[in-house]
Amino acid sequence: MRAASDEKLNVRGLSAYYLTEKGPVKAVDSVNFALSQSESLGIVGESACGKSTLGSALMRSLQPPGKIVGGSILLDGEDISKLPGREFDKKIRWKKVAMVFQGAMNALDPVYTVGSQLRELLKEHEFEGDFGSKILDSLKQVGLAPGVASRYPHELSGGMKQRVVIAMALLLEPEILIADEPTTALDVLVQSQIIALLKRLHKEKGVTVVLISHDLALVSQIADKIGIMYAGQLVEVGSTQDIYTKPKHPYTQALIAAVPRLHSNEKKIRFIPGSPPSLLDPPAGCRFYSRCPHAMTVCQRDPPEFPSDTGYVRCWLYDPTLKST
Ligand code: SF4
């Protein structure tokens, strides 16, 4: 275990709901994890499990009816979830925590060159240095030639646009970069280039990367730790090696078993029967209960969470005191 002083980010009991007319949709519920500056985290889960909401909550970018309703986000020991909006914008957003939003490369303004869009961002954040060299530096950092600054988004390939978006996020030198599905809609070759870029930024520049994806294999290429998200909760957090080689939670086990293997003799692709519960009215106990082959009585009643070697697991199977149910 790392000493608390080594912690860059510590998320405790974070809950973010969508307050709809039908009631609160509990998209992120009691999420816990901690990261040091030198670590990177992968958040993996199927569609609509709450992983993008978690990213937006960390960035304080949830739009109504989305709202952080509980818990804390400690950045260097300061709870940034409680900072007044203006103070968060001034001190934290883009300067300490930046995010590459899902589909952001398609949101580049088509009528402005890359350089003017980067310049606008610097102006907005009252950057005091030399705009030109800052822009060229940030393009270089993501492997783009200086000439890209004078080009329009439609003149760039998908991979180049994604690099521009990452350059924008890195412009004010944040310590934490949250990347939500940064390789969606890119071909396999470009995907691996973007992952290599994030890896390099993490290793060489010391940026703490939080990578959100549905693709466990992709995430494992960069993450030191992985959090498996299911129905709004992180059901297992551990080192990438532990998650891959000895997954504990039945959902993690099923997720890994469902990945098709190139050299396997299995004729059928495995899948997880059933569907996730409604987040409007999730079960009181384990949220995987209705799909779990090991479900016990206690699972339906109480929500579990137990420490593991490199993180924790939300499953009653790992309760050291549970003798019978
Ligand atoms: Fe299955 Fe129970 Fe563990 Fe949930 S707590 S994953 S139902 S064994």
Side-chain angles (χ1 to χ4, degrees):
M1 294 290 285
R2 287 172 188 276
S5 60
D6 192 26
E7 271 174 11
K8 171 58 60 186
L9 188 65
N10 189 333
V11 174
R12 289 290 117 199
L14 184 66
S15 296
Y17 296 173
Y18 291 97
L19 306 174
T20 69
E21 283 177 6
K22 289 183 178 171
V25 175
K26 297 173 180 169
V28 171
D29 214 1
S30 307
V31 161
N32 301 317
F33 67 86
L35 278 181
S36 72
Q37 178 76 59
S38 61
E39 286 179 320
S40 56
L41 172 75
I43 304 225
V44 179
E46 57 198 20
S47 295
C49 70
K51 54 192 191 302
S52 292
T53 303
L54 173 58
S56 296
L58 294 174
M59 186 64 180
R60 299 265 310 260
S61 292
L62 279 174
Q63 297 301 313
K67 192 174 185 228
I68 294 177
V69 294
S72 56
I73 306 168
L74 300 179
L75 178 66
D76 295 322
E78 181 183 21
D79 188 357
I80 58 169
S81 73
K82 309 281 188 312
L83 283 181
R86 287 178 72 130
E87 199 180 336
F88 182 89
D89 287 347
K90 199 160 178 239
K91 277 173 52 183
I92 310 291
R93 194 184 307 283
W94 304 116
K95 292 181 180 155
K96 290 199 169 179
V97 185
M99 184 163 177
V100 174
F101 289 93
Q102 198 171 1
M105 68 177 178
N106 299 320
L108 287 171
D109 196 323
V111 298
Y112 291 102
T113 62
V114 166
S116 40
Q117 294 187 54
L118 289 166
R119 186 171 286 275
E120 197 52 38
L121 203 70
L122 288 172
K123 220 192 291 176
E124 206 177 296
H125 290 275
E126 297 166 4
F127 177 72
E128 286 175 352
D130 178 60
F131 280 27
S133 58
K134 184 72 187 156
I135 288 169
L136 294 186
D137 278 356
S138 70
L139 290 177
K140 189 176 168 198
Q141 201 175 2
V142 298
L144 290 172
V148 169
S150 57
R151 291 166 74 175
Y152 289 90
H154 73 269
E155 297 179 287
L156 307 176
S157 68
M160 288 167 90
K161 279 193 268 191
Q162 190 61 287
R163 281 171 195 262
V164 167
V165 168
I166 295 172
M168 278 181 161
L170 294 173
L171 204 54
L172 300 172
E173 299 174 25
E175 295 158 359
I176 297 175
L177 178 69
I178 303 164
D180 187 4
E181 301 276 11
T183 59
T184 306
L186 299 175
D187 65 55
V188 181
L189 194 64
V190 181
Q191 268 187 18
S192 59
Q193 288 170 356
I194 295 293
I195 291 300
L197 167 64
L198 291 175
K199 214 169 175 172
R200 184 169 59 74
L201 291 168
H202 171 57
K203 295 281 177 230
E204 292 174 12
K205 304 279 177 190
V207 179
T208 302
V209 175
V210 178
L211 178 59
I212 296 170
S213 176
H214 63 279
D215 188 337
L216 185 59
L218 190 91
V219 161
S220 67
Q221 292 176 41
I222 174 170
D224 302 298
K225 276 182 177 174
I226 290 180
I228 302 291
M229 197 150 187
Y230 181 77
Q233 296 183 320
L234 285 180
V235 292
E236 183 167 0
V237 176
S239 71
T240 300
Q241 192 178 2
D242 276 5
I243 295 282
Y244 244 103
T245 58
K246 34 182 184 172
K248 288 190 158 40
H249 196 282
Y251 176 66
T252 315
Q253 292 168 352
L255 203 62
I256 291 175
V259 176
R261 311 245 182 272
L262 202 56
H263 301 293
S264 159
N265 292 327
E266 281 201 44
K267 299 273 183 287
K268 286 185 188 163
I269 291 180
R270 294 200 207 180
F271 66 98
I272 307 172
S275 53
S278 162
L279 296 181
L280 255 177
D281 186 21
C286 171
R287 294 190 177 181
F288 193 54
Y289 178 79
S290 65
R291 304 171 84 183
C292 180
H294 311 288
M296 304 171 281
T297 313
V298 65
C299 310
Q300 196 175 15
R301 200 178 57 221
D302 299 316
E305 183 171 325
F306 302 103
S308 63
D309 291 348
T310 53
Y312 69 88
V313 56
R314 281 181 186 259
C315 175
W316 280 112
L317 291 173
Y318 301 92
D319 176 8
T321 65
L322 197 71
K323 300 282 185 255
S324 61
T325 58

